[in-house]
Amino acid sequence: MITIIQITDCHLFKREDKQGYSGIAPFHSLKRVLQHAVSWASAQNTMASVLLLITGDISGDDSLESYTLFLSLMQEYADANGIAWAVIPGNHDNNIHFDNVLAAKHLKSHTPLTLGKWLIHGTDSRSTSSTKSAKGNVRENDIASIASHIAAKPHLNHALAVHHHVKASNSWMDNHSLSDAGLIEQLASKYNALKVIVHGHVHAPLRYTLGDFNTPVYGCPSSCWQWAMQSDFGVTNEAPGYQLIQLSDDGSVGVKVVCISD
């Protein structure tokens, strides 16, 4: 069994102590999340079969410092404990600092990760029309690359990570949706070997299926504040968290949300 520890929407600022919504300082919140996740992995004695996957919006202010703070935390909690990790960008990572600081850890569509009997794919959903847009779009060449990898290795199970939600959340977050989500749905409808899709963006544990094979899709809570899934903008009192995605050799998937209280 392979376990993906998904952390998303860190929204780090230039300063460690700067607070955002709900009085949460994203740096300290992410640190608590990482401490908890690494402790869990250590207790399971499964470091070699764990991937720490951060699904976008690492920065909250486009600053170089936010990425260097993130890198310092990953070195302290992932690298120091021998845990593999990778990142994909979110709409708040539409800047040169993400590409410069995290290039070596960027999970791109043409370089998926092989973990046991699973191939883990990432795709970029940052807007190509505006670096300031919270909306997203995937690239046709990315989808084509992922499709080619799935077609070439149908004997493996495949997982896909994207930042934006793929189906409507029926909330105000749909104002910041993925404009060409149909390309991912087509992928799910064509390949039964695509067993699971995970995303961030909505700061909530959304659950739905996609495509002809009812591929399960899992949204993840944020490592800082949580959005209210309602028609008007809102923040909930839910604690920061992450999710454990357990991938079995037979293609089955189990998911558990973990919340971190003070």
Side-chain angles (χ1 to χ4, degrees):
M1 179 181 289
I2 301 298
T3 300
I4 294 178
I5 299 174
Q6 184 190 3
I7 296 175
T8 197
D9 294 86
C10 310
H11 290 275
L12 297 178
F13 298 127
K14 180 184 294 187
R15 300 197 325 269
E16 295 179 13
D17 59 345
K18 183 176 179 180
Q19 297 180 349
Y21 295 101
S22 301
I24 293 174
F27 175 85
H28 296 295
S29 180
L30 176 58
K31 187 169 185 174
R32 290 198 307 273
V33 166
L34 285 167
Q35 286 174 333
H36 193 282
V38 170
S39 294
W40 175 88
S42 179
Q44 304 299 312
N45 196 27
T46 57
M47 298 298 201
S49 59
V50 169
L51 173 67
L52 187 54
L53 181 60
I54 296 84
T55 51
D57 279 6
I58 290 165
S59 179
D61 62 4
D62 285 323
S63 67
L64 173 60
E65 291 86 351
S66 64
Y67 291 101
T68 56
L69 284 174
F70 173 77
L71 192 57
S72 70
L73 287 175
M74 298 307 292
Q75 290 167 342
E76 179 179 358
Y77 290 101
D79 295 340
N81 289 285
I83 300 176
W85 61 280
V87 301
I88 61 170
N91 50 283
H92 281 284
D93 301 309
N94 211 344
N95 57 64
I96 60 171
H97 304 309
F98 174 90
D99 298 312
N100 290 340
V101 176
L102 297 174
K105 294 293 185 177
H106 186 177
L107 180 60
K108 296 184 177 181
S109 62
H110 63 279
T111 54
L113 294 174
T114 301
L115 297 174
K117 295 188 179 297
W118 285 81
L119 207 60
I120 315 300
H121 304 267
T123 191
D124 190 340
S125 63
R126 290 177 291 186
S127 172
T128 55
S129 61
S130 170
T131 59
K132 300 302 180 183
S133 176
K135 293 184 178 182
N137 60 271
V138 293
R139 287 88 172 131
E140 289 189 9
N141 59 333
D142 279 351
I143 299 301
S145 180
I146 293 166
S148 68
H149 282 288
I150 297 175
K153 296 184 177 181
H155 59 289
L156 293 179
N157 306 303
H158 297 260
L160 173 62
V162 60
H163 176 69
H164 288 75
H165 55 303
V166 189
K167 266 190 177 179
S169 64
N170 297 317
S171 77
W172 63 275
M173 279 299 291
D174 293 335
N175 296 321
H176 311 298
S177 62
L178 191 63
S179 63
D180 47 7
L183 292 175
I184 294 179
E185 186 162 13
Q186 290 171 20
L187 196 68
S189 290
K190 186 173 183 179
Y191 297 104
N192 190 31
L194 179 58
K195 300 300 185 183
V196 63
I197 299 171
V198 299
H199 66 79
H201 195 51
V202 292
H203 295 222
L206 287 188
R207 302 290 186 259
Y208 51 95
T209 61
L210 195 70
D212 293 347
F213 300 108
N214 292 315
T215 305
V217 186
Y218 299 95
C220 184
S222 166
S223 65
C224 53
W225 47 81
Q226 312 308 315
W227 297 140
M229 294 290 95
Q230 60 191 34
S231 58
D232 298 324
F233 173 82
V235 182
T236 76
N237 293 321
E238 295 294 322
Y242 63 96
Q243 60 186 8
L244 297 169
I245 305 158
Q246 296 181 311
L247 308 175
S248 298
D249 289 352
D250 64 1
S252 59
V253 179
V255 179
K256 178 183 178 181
V257 171
V258 182
C259 296
I260 310 299
S261 56
D262 291 331

